[in-house]
Amino acid sequence: MASTGHDRQWQLNRLNFEGHWCGTSRWYERNTDGRLDLERAAVEIPGTCYAISFSDPDTGLWDGSGLRFAPQGRRRLPLSRASYNQAGQCWQFRGVAGQSSLAVDAGKPRFGHELNFFAGRARSMLVLLYEPCGSLWRLQTLGVVPFRCSLAAVVDPERPPRGDARQHLAELEGWPGQIERLLPGQWPAEDPEPQACEPFRTAAFRNGNPVAGFDDGLLCSLPELLPAGAFQLQVGCRLSEGCFDQLSLGYDSEQRLTAWERRRFQRS
């Protein structure tokens, strides 16, 4: 059992991410006329790999190659329990994890998120990057990587291919679900107990925003322009034929992150 919430988040970081993850990364960006093209990737990198290892319970190494925004596409970062998540931007549920900007900050060049959904030894990653556009923030770049762990002893079942997002959502309508919640800076020493939530509703997932679908059954509902006040970001992943994980990020009227909410919907 973890002695503190920080320790439990570190343990989950290791449980979720340890492995040698490789896949083709695809980066979708705005074209010359300013339209965000989510059908054709502007950049494709077939050899993206994240090797994440731990030499002992308190120390590890993140070794990345084929990276989009690193010099020569490489970066190595030491990992340690003592220094983990000092900025409070990393968050871990068992099987869903990532890092998020805690607020929309005019003093920073980007408002960004990395979200990962794990199923067996498959890891489906989505990166969202908003940049300033006049007085608002515009979704500029979206990255997708269907990672697989090369250290896995068995091959995981095939994941859903890219398909029509509306069709995927229609199939989920009415599925019962459970919710877990994390609050920024408030890390529980024990995993949150899932609570029953409302069944899946397409309208609630879309929340008036356009939806898009990608490899591995990744789905997202995102405002292209962030409003001046409160907003939500919705991302999900069809982990199997009968299971869909959804992550909701809620920002208040001051555009500060209020909670990460993980919902798991399963076909009854």
Side-chain angles (χ1 to χ4, degrees):
M1 180 182 296
S3 57
T4 67
H6 172 85
D7 289 335
R8 182 54 182 160
Q9 286 288 295
W10 169 254
Q11 290 174 0
L12 287 171
N13 178 56
R14 178 170 179 170
L15 286 169
N16 285 328
F17 285 101
E18 186 170 19
H20 192 272
W21 306 98
C22 295
T24 296
S25 58
R26 296 178 176 88
W27 296 89
Y28 302 86
E29 299 179 345
R30 293 192 177 272
N31 55 29
T32 54
D33 63 6
R35 184 177 65 86
L36 181 61
D37 187 347
L38 297 180
E39 295 299 323
R40 293 177 297 178
V43 176
E44 188 170 299
I45 306 173
T48 297
C49 292
Y50 292 3
I52 303 169
S53 59
F54 294 85
S55 54
D56 58 62
D58 300 309
T59 309
L61 178 67
W62 186 98
D63 188 354
S65 58
L67 308 181
R68 176 76 171 89
F69 298 109
Q72 288 79 52
R74 294 295 307 266
R75 180 176 293 150
R76 302 183 76 198
L77 298 171
L79 305 172
S80 76
R81 182 195 299 263
S83 62
Y84 175 70
N85 202 19
Q86 290 180 329
Q89 295 180 306
C90 299
W91 47 272
Q92 307 278 342
F93 296 98
R94 190 171 189 130
V96 182
Q99 52 186 314
S100 303
S101 293
L102 300 179
V104 179
D105 186 347
K108 295 184 178 179
R110 288 175 176 163
F111 170 75
H113 303 270
E114 178 197 302
L115 308 104
N116 297 272
F117 296 86
F118 297 86
R121 299 308 288 163
R123 170 188 172 188
S124 308
M125 187 178 82
L126 186 68
V127 175
L128 313 173
L129 298 175
Y130 285 81
E131 295 182 5
C133 179
S135 61
L136 297 177
W137 289 71
R138 182 172 69 172
L139 181 59
Q140 185 69 26
T141 303
L142 189 149
V144 176
V145 192
F147 282 120
R148 299 295 181 266
C149 180
S150 63
L151 303 181
V154 296
V155 177
D156 287 311
E158 286 295 317
R159 297 289 299 283
R162 179 169 184 162
D164 183 88
R166 291 171 295 180
Q167 179 181 339
H168 278 305
L169 292 174
E171 292 173 1
L172 304 173
E173 189 71 25
W175 285 15
Q178 293 185 313
I179 184 173
E180 303 170 64
R181 183 179 288 108
L182 287 175
L183 307 180
Q186 301 181 35
W187 312 118
E190 298 182 7
D191 298 348
E193 189 68 27
Q195 303 294 321
C197 66
E198 292 294 317
F200 183 87
R201 298 295 181 221
T202 298
F205 183 83
R206 296 189 66 165
N207 197 27
N209 296 312
V211 296
F214 301 94
D215 291 338
D216 274 8
L218 279 168
L219 296 169
C220 60
S221 171
L222 307 166
E224 284 205 40
L225 285 173
L226 297 181
F231 63 91
Q232 275 197 333
L233 307 177
Q234 306 275 19
V235 176
C237 189
R238 187 82 172 262
L239 301 176
S240 67
E241 190 63 28
C243 181
F244 180 75
D245 265 14
Q246 175 181 328
L247 189 82
S248 304
L249 300 97
Y251 287 78
D252 62 18
S253 59
E254 296 183 348
Q255 299 194 310
R256 295 186 177 278
L257 183 65
T258 57
W260 297 274
E261 293 181 339
R262 183 263 193 97
R263 291 172 175 84
R264 170 160 286 186
F265 297 97
Q266 294 181 288
R267 181 188 287 126
S268 57

